[in-house]
PDB file of all heavy atoms in Angstrom:
ATOM      1  N   LEU A  42     121.157 125.999  90.617  1.00 74.00           N
ATOM      2  CA  LEU A  42     122.432 125.332  90.857  1.00 74.00           C
ATOM      3  C   LEU A  42     122.375 124.291  91.974  1.00 74.00           C
ATOM      4  O   LEU A  42     123.295 124.148  92.756  1.00 74.00           O
ATOM      5  CB  LEU A  42     123.548 126.357  91.122  1.00 74.00           C
ATOM      6  CG  LEU A  42     123.895 127.240  89.939  1.00 74.00           C
ATOM      7  CD1 LEU A  42     124.989 128.243  90.334  1.00 74.00           C
ATOM      8  CD2 LEU A  42     124.409 126.385  88.790  1.00 74.00           C
ATOM      9  N   VAL A  43     121.285 123.575  92.023  1.00 77.00           N
ATOM     10  CA  VAL A  43     121.160 122.431  92.932  1.00 77.00           C
ATOM     11  C   VAL A  43     121.473 121.209  92.107  1.00 77.00           C
ATOM     12  O   VAL A  43     120.802 120.890  91.144  1.00 77.00           O
ATOM     13  CB  VAL A  43     119.748 122.323  93.546  1.00 77.00           C
ATOM     14  CG1 VAL A  43     119.628 121.054  94.349  1.00 77.00           C
ATOM     15  CG2 VAL A  43     119.458 123.562  94.383  1.00 77.00           C
ATOM     16  N   GLY A  44     122.566 120.544  92.457  1.00 80.00           N
ATOM     17  CA  GLY A  44     123.031 119.387  91.692  1.00 80.00           C
ATOM     18  C   GLY A  44     122.095 118.190  91.806  1.00 80.00           C
ATOM     19  O   GLY A  44     121.287 118.090  92.735  1.00 80.00           O
ATOM     20  N   ARG A  45     122.185 117.309  90.821  1.00 82.00           N
ATOM     21  CA  ARG A  45     121.390 116.098  90.834  1.00 82.00           C
ATOM     22  C   ARG A  45     121.852 115.196  91.971  1.00 82.00           C
ATOM     23  O   ARG A  45     123.030 115.137  92.291  1.00 82.00           O
ATOM     24  CB  ARG A  45     121.518 115.380  89.512  1.00 82.00           C
ATOM     25  CG  ARG A  45     120.848 116.141  88.365  1.00 82.00           C
ATOM     26  CD  ARG A  45     121.228 115.551  87.011  1.00 82.00           C
ATOM     27  NE  ARG A  45     120.627 116.271  85.909  1.00 82.00           N
ATOM     28  CZ  ARG A  45     121.127 117.359  85.336  1.00 82.00           C
ATOM     29  NH1 ARG A  45     122.273 117.823  85.760  1.00 82.00           N
ATOM     30  NH2 ARG A  45     120.483 117.966  84.347  1.00 82.00           N
ATOM     31  N   PRO A  46     120.932 114.487  92.593  1.00 79.00           N
ATOM     32  CA  PRO A  46     121.260 113.666  93.755  1.00 79.00           C
ATOM     33  C   PRO A  46     121.957 112.387  93.337  1.00 79.00           C
ATOM     34  O   PRO A  46     121.865 111.960  92.176  1.00 79.00           O
ATOM     35  CB  PRO A  46     119.894 113.372  94.378  1.00 79.00           C
ATOM     36  CG  PRO A  46     118.959 113.382  93.202  1.00 79.00           C
ATOM     37  CD  PRO A  46     119.484 114.456  92.301  1.00 79.00           C
ATOM     38  N   PRO A  47     122.624 111.731  94.299  1.00 83.00           N
ATOM     39  CA  PRO A  47     123.235 110.438  93.963  1.00 83.00           C
ATOM     40  C   PRO A  47     122.163 109.345  93.916  1.00 83.00           C
ATOM     41  O   PRO A  47     121.065 109.532  94.431  1.00 83.00           O
ATOM     42  CB  PRO A  47     124.190 110.210  95.126  1.00 83.00           C
ATOM     43  CG  PRO A  47     123.533 110.922  96.260  1.00 83.00           C
ATOM     44  CD  PRO A  47     122.903 112.131  95.635  1.00 83.00           C
ATOM     45  N   VAL A  48     122.489 108.248  93.308  1.00 84.00           N
ATOM     46  CA  VAL A  48     121.645 107.053  93.354  1.00 84.00           C
ATOM     47  C   VAL A  48     122.450 106.008  94.139  1.00 84.00           C
ATOM     48  O   VAL A  48     123.590 105.677  93.773  1.00 84.00           O
ATOM     49  CB  VAL A  48     121.337 106.523  91.934  1.00 84.00           C
ATOM     50  CG1 VAL A  48     120.541 105.213  92.020  1.00 84.00           C
ATOM     51  CG2 VAL A  48     120.572 107.578  91.150  1.00 84.00           C
ATOM     52  N   VAL A  49     121.881 105.531  95.220  1.00 85.00           N
ATOM     53  CA  VAL A  49     122.553 104.606  96.095  1.00 85.00           C
ATOM     54  C   VAL A  49     121.708 103.354  96.290  1.00 85.00           C
ATOM     55  O   VAL A  49     120.517 103.461  96.629  1.00 85.00           O
ATOM     56  CB  VAL A  49     122.847 105.242  97.491  1.00 85.00           C
ATOM     57  CG1 VAL A  49     123.584 104.277  98.402  1.00 85.00           C
ATOM     58  CG2 VAL A  49     123.635 106.534  97.308  1.00 85.00           C
ATOM     59  N   ALA A  50     122.300 102.194  96.090  1.00 86.00           N
ATOM     60  CA  ALA A  50     121.607 100.936  96.348  1.00 86.00           C
ATOM     61  C   ALA A  50     121.984 100.462  97.745  1.00 86.00           C
ATOM     62  O   ALA A  50     123.159 100.482  98.107  1.00 86.00           O
ATOM     63  CB  ALA A  50     121.996  99.887  95.317  1.00 86.00           C
ATOM     64  N   VAL A  51     120.981 100.051  98.508  1.00 84.00           N
ATOM     65  CA  VAL A  51     121.239  99.549  99.865  1.00 84.00           C
ATOM     66  C   VAL A  51     120.673  98.157  99.999  1.00 84.00           C
ATOM     67  O   VAL A  51     119.479  97.974  99.734  1.00 84.00           O
ATOM     68  CB  VAL A  51     120.620 100.491 100.923  1.00 84.00           C
ATOM     69  CG1 VAL A  51     120.891  99.932 102.339  1.00 84.00           C
ATOM     70  CG2 VAL A  51     121.160 101.905 100.795  1.00 84.00           C
ATOM     71  N   THR A  52     121.495  97.206 100.361  1.00 87.00           N
ATOM     72  CA  THR A  52     121.070  95.843 100.533  1.00 87.00           C
ATOM     73  C   THR A  52     121.765  95.259 101.743  1.00 87.00           C
ATOM     74  O   THR A  52     123.001  95.388 101.871  1.00 87.00           O
ATOM     75  CB  THR A  52     121.422  94.987  99.295  1.00 87.00           C
ATOM     76  OG1 THR A  52     120.851  95.579  98.136  1.00 87.00           O
ATOM     77  CG2 THR A  52     120.918  93.555  99.431  1.00 87.00           C
TER      78      THR A  52
END
Side-chain angles (χ1 to χ4, degrees):
L42 292 179
V43 175
R45 291 168 180 87
V48 176
V49 181
V51 180
T52 304

